[in-house]
Amino acid sequence: MPLLKNILLINLLVYFFFSSVGFSQHKTNVVLIGVYHFNNPGFDEGKMKDRNILSDENQQGLSRITDKLIKKYHPDKVFVEYDAAKNNMLNGMYALYQKGKPFYRADTLNAFYKRFYSENETFQLGFRLANKAGNDRIYAMDYDEVPIRFDLIKAKLQEKGVFTFADYQHKIAELEVFMNACLSKPKLEDVLLGLNSPEQYKLNKGLYISFLNRVNPATDFFGSDLVANWYKRNLIMYANIQNQTAEQDKNIVIIVGAGHAAMMEDFIKADTRFNLVKLDGVL
């Protein structure tokens, strides 16, 4: 009998020990939203059609999308593709937005930045969602200081000769055709569902793995270096998300370019702290 009591006591102590050090089965739900850049800056290799996010139809779409996100996975935190080093500045703008005040001065900006602050997804989707959720902060996670030398691809292809620059352009065109077909859909929900489909993720990752990684003259391993730097940028962005997510966060939303989302899907699936929520389960 004393032996049984001792065993029960030991089991009880083990239970309380693991409870006290945070041993938990809880995982944070992560809603991953890959988007096209609403202000269409034209910086990506694939060139997207313009779609006016300020139109009544798209504004209604944003309202529906954010309402659905709030209803199904009310976010504790919203992460956006904005320079993580400027998180405080971003939240200064967000505080003005919450109060219904202008958060930028259009009369002081050139045409590019007027479009950026009025149309970019950070503000149109991120600010709107975080505000509807009653969040007192929004979370920047971008890092764009890793050199990715797309400008050297033509010369490297001529040097290596595995395939031609025309082959590369054809690969980019494949992605453009798919992305622009998504952008042509009438409802904004369907645009985002297309951009977050397995087909888009495969095309996007395939450009790096099945194509660019082979542009690899042995003297400098250009292709592998470019692909590694693309992974590095995304891993740093992802670390910025990981390190701003607390155990008590039940749901978070990540709003990021569709190319980044293709990478982050794999990271989230491999992360024991997170449970990936696909967008087609929300919209």
Side-chain angles (χ1 to χ4, degrees), residues 97-143:
Y97 178 91
Q98 285 182 298
K99 296 173 184 175
K101 296 180 180 180
F103 60 89
Y104 67 96
R105 285 186 55 188
D107 60 321
T108 66
L109 302 174
N110 62 28
F112 173 85
Y113 281 106
K114 282 179 184 177
R115 282 203 70 180
F116 177 76
Y117 286 111
S118 63
E119 299 178 37
N120 185 266
E121 60 275 5
T122 291
F123 314 105
Q124 283 291 329
L125 180 53
F127 275 20
R128 187 185 308 235
L129 177 61
N131 189 47
K132 278 189 178 182
N135 296 348
D136 59 359
R137 288 185 64 80
I138 194 162
Y139 294 83
M141 50 76 172
D142 194 16
Y143 181 83

Side-chain angles (χ1 to χ4, degrees), residues 45-49 169-185 194-195 199-200 203:
E45 285 293 281
K47 303 309 174 191
M48 302 297 102
K49 292 178 180 178
Q169 291 176 310
H170 178 74
K171 197 75 175 175
I172 292 293
E174 274 188 281
L175 185 59
E176 283 182 1
V177 167
F178 184 91
M179 301 282 277
N180 284 321
C182 294
L183 280 169
S184 297
K185 296 179 183 296
L195 295 181
E199 293 83 1
Q200 194 284 126
L203 277 172

Side-chain angles (χ1 to χ4, degrees), residues 148 207-209 211-214 222-232 263:
I148 303 173
L207 172 66
Y208 293 93
I209 299 302
F211 197 91
L212 289 173
N213 192 55
R214 295 167 60 202
F222 170 81
S224 294
D225 192 51
L226 184 149
V227 173
N229 280 345
W230 175 240
Y231 269 84
K232 181 178 179 179
M263 306 293 293

Side-chain angles (χ1 to χ4, degrees), residues 37 39-48 112-113 116 144 150:
H37 293 304
N39 57 311
N40 196 11
F43 293 157
D44 296 327
E45 285 293 281
K47 303 309 174 191
M48 302 297 102
F112 173 85
Y113 281 106
F116 177 76
D144 196 13
F150 288 106

